[in-house]
Amino acid sequence: MAACTKRLILQSDWDQVLREINGKAWVSVKKTGCPSVYGELKVQELSSDGQPYVLGSENFSIGEITRKTITVSYTEDEVTSLVCKFQAPRLTFSTIHKAKKSVACLDVTPGGLAVSCDTDGKLILWETENGEIRRDLKGHLGDVYSCRFFPSGMVVLSGSADTQLKIWSAETGQCAATCKGHAAGINDTAIVEKGRNFVSCSRDGTAKLWDSGSQACLGTFDECGGVVNGCSIGIPARGFDPGESQQPTDEREVATEGKLLLLACESGVLQGRGLQSRTKVFEARCSDAVNCCTFLNENEAMCGTQDGQIYVWDIRNTSEPLVHRAETRSAILSLLPIHHGVLVGTGDGSCVCFNNNYDPSLELTGPDCDPVYKVVSDGSYLYTACRDSFVRKYTIL
């Protein structure tokens, strides 16, 4: 049975409206199957340095507040209370992609470079410091759904509705290689170690292992039960068997031994496949289509579903999930493990950090009900890709 907890929701532009006396922002508590509770936060006065003093109506109260963060509490009774910190974006990049074009994916490097793609077929390289566009990578013939840097930070991999995967030079903006073989659009990709090989997954119901240098398909993972929405590669703990290892039949297959490939399947299962063996190691059944997946550590994998549920699985025994949390949000679209938990992007515009006990501890605000398709980190900042065409940058707290 999934655990279901109450959720605090705050007006998305709270940091803008709570700057002046009498400024107001709505706040609510929502729980599946129960009436929502609504309240209001109102600025009573400003301190000499412009800091607002905010009061909450009903049983809502305010803790610490800064220009970009606010802690909200709701007291239900003497022993029950909800607390969540909300964080506004440090910067909002509104001109990288055209208005009304969804930013489908993005990735960043510690060196200050970002790549993002949209539903207008655009693939853009830009600087994370100021949003200045460096390159417009032209070559795809349809919407671009996936983009990521190779570990070097100097090469970009992209996947599109045109069924093609492209490898680009971040220095010149030139397309160095094109991989063809899927029969439908590319939804996600994963890099194998330094990037000699990579994996793609597609709406054609397969995942494929590729050689970057020759653009050859080295192997196909089928029997996925339909569309494959996401993929992730990890190294299980010693003793875990990712299928019978075999000597690669092609010398271009490098560093696949001992690795496990996760596949997020539209059929409602999370599959574990031996990257080298190609065999199905496990199939974990979920409540709805699985949109995204990631490794939390060498023994645990997480996935999120279309009906807003989060699962954590012990890959050594997937008969029952370690954690099954039914969210009062929308579809789970993106997962990013961080040092004190995991960030979850959802279909209702929220991006929430769950701590190591899987309780919500921080929520990134900004989008107004527009889905957050991707959340990534460069080690100092967080970045989100959203349907409203904006990329938002947040400080890691």
Side-chain angles (χ1 to χ4, degrees), residues 268-391:
V269 298
L270 176 69
Q271 283 193 6
R273 308 287 285 263
L275 185 58
Q276 187 183 92
S277 69
R278 320 282 199 263
T279 59
K280 187 188 301 182
V281 180
F282 66 78
E283 190 169 86
R285 176 62 59 178
C286 300
S287 56
D288 201 356
V290 182
N291 291 329
C292 51
C293 57
T294 189
F295 284 90
L296 297 178
N297 54 53
E298 61 185 9
N299 289 321
E300 296 179 358
M302 174 181 273
C303 64
T305 63
Q306 182 64 23
D307 62 355
Q309 307 210 28
I310 297 170
Y311 294 82
V312 178
W313 304 92
D314 186 330
I315 62 174
R316 299 164 296 184
N317 180 4
T318 56
S319 58
E320 294 289 339
L322 295 174
V323 177
H324 178 194
R325 183 184 179 91
E327 272 302 291
T328 57
R329 303 166 198 271
S330 184
I332 308 299
L333 303 177
S334 179
L335 299 169
L336 175 68
I338 55 179
H339 69 281
H340 55 276
V342 60
L343 274 163
V344 179
T346 77
D348 69 1
S350 61
C351 186
V352 61
C353 178
F354 290 94
N355 61 26
N356 292 324
N357 293 322
Y358 298 103
D359 295 320
S361 58
L362 173 70
E363 186 159 325
L364 306 181
T365 60
D368 185 12
C369 300
D370 285 293
V372 176
Y373 293 121
K374 194 72 172 180
V375 53
V376 297
S377 172
D378 62 8
S380 299
Y381 300 97
L382 301 167
Y383 304 80
T384 60
C386 186
R387 188 180 66 181
D388 62 10
S389 79
F390 296 163
V391 174

Side-chain angles (χ1 to χ4, degrees), residues 113 125 134-138 154-156 167-176:
L113 196 61
L125 277 168
R134 294 271 296 273
R135 304 284 183 189
D136 184 354
L137 307 181
K138 297 181 179 180
M154 301 307 299
V155 179
V156 171
I167 299 173
W168 310 81
S169 166
E171 291 184 305
T172 67
Q174 297 299 307
C175 178

Side-chain angles (χ1 to χ4, degrees), residues 47-106:
S47 66
S48 58
D49 61 357
Q51 186 73 7
Y53 174 67
V54 181
L55 283 181
S57 67
E58 308 302 328
N59 292 326
F60 295 97
S61 59
I62 303 303
E64 181 185 16
I65 181 170
T66 69
R67 187 173 178 81
K68 294 297 181 181
T69 65
I70 185 171
T71 300
V72 181
S73 301
Y74 174 75
T75 303
E76 189 170 39
D77 53 46
E78 292 182 357
V79 296
T80 306
S81 64
L82 292 175
V83 181
C84 187
K85 177 178 280 190
F86 296 88
Q87 181 182 354
R90 173 189 173 94
L91 290 171
T92 298
F93 300 115
S94 59
T95 58
I96 296 171
H97 294 274
K98 289 183 179 179
K100 300 182 180 180
K101 299 299 180 182
S102 301
V103 184
C105 191
L106 83 158

Side-chain angles (χ1 to χ4, degrees), residues 106-115 126 128 148-149 376-379 381 383:
L106 83 158
D107 197 13
V108 292
T109 72
L113 196 61
V115 60
W126 48 278
T128 58
R148 70 173 63 245
F149 286 100
V376 297
S377 172
D378 62 8
Y381 300 97
Y383 304 80

Side-chain angles (χ1 to χ4, degrees), residues 116-279:
S116 55
C117 56
D118 66 25
T119 54
D120 193 37
K122 292 289 187 179
L123 182 64
I124 307 293
L125 277 168
W126 48 278
E127 296 180 8
T128 58
E129 179 66 26
N130 52 23
E132 181 180 343
I133 294 176
R134 294 271 296 273
R135 304 284 183 189
D136 184 354
L137 307 181
K138 297 181 179 180
H140 280 297
L141 304 176
D143 297 352
V144 185
Y145 298 134
S146 176
C147 58
R148 70 173 63 245
F149 286 100
F150 280 74
S152 66
M154 301 307 299
V155 179
V156 171
L157 173 65
S158 62
S160 168
D162 65 10
T163 76
Q164 298 181 95
L165 293 144
K166 289 184 177 291
I167 299 173
W168 310 81
S169 166
E171 291 184 305
T172 67
Q174 297 299 307
C175 178
T178 298
C179 301
K180 298 180 180 181
H182 280 294
I186 314 298
N187 284 332
D188 197 11
T189 57
I191 308 293
V192 182
E193 292 199 351
K194 295 182 179 181
R196 291 276 298 276
N197 296 157
F198 65 88
V199 171
S200 60
C201 62
S202 168
R203 297 184 179 186
D204 66 9
T206 70
K208 292 181 182 292
L209 176 68
W210 301 87
D211 172 55
S212 301
S214 67
Q215 299 87 60
C217 177
L218 304 178
T220 298
F221 302 83
D222 50 19
E223 298 181 3
C224 298
V227 173
V228 186
N229 293 316
C231 57
S232 182
I233 297 171
I235 303 176
R238 183 174 299 178
F240 181 87
D241 181 15
E244 184 178 352
S245 296
Q246 57 187 18
Q247 186 67 28
T249 56
D250 195 311
E251 62 182 9
R252 293 170 293 187
E253 183 172 333
V254 179
T256 57
E257 184 177 1
K259 292 183 175 61
L260 184 67
L261 173 66
L262 296 179
L263 298 177
C265 302
E266 186 77 13
S267 59
V269 298
L270 176 69
Q271 283 193 6
R273 308 287 285 263
L275 185 58
Q276 187 183 92
S277 69
R278 320 282 199 263
T279 59

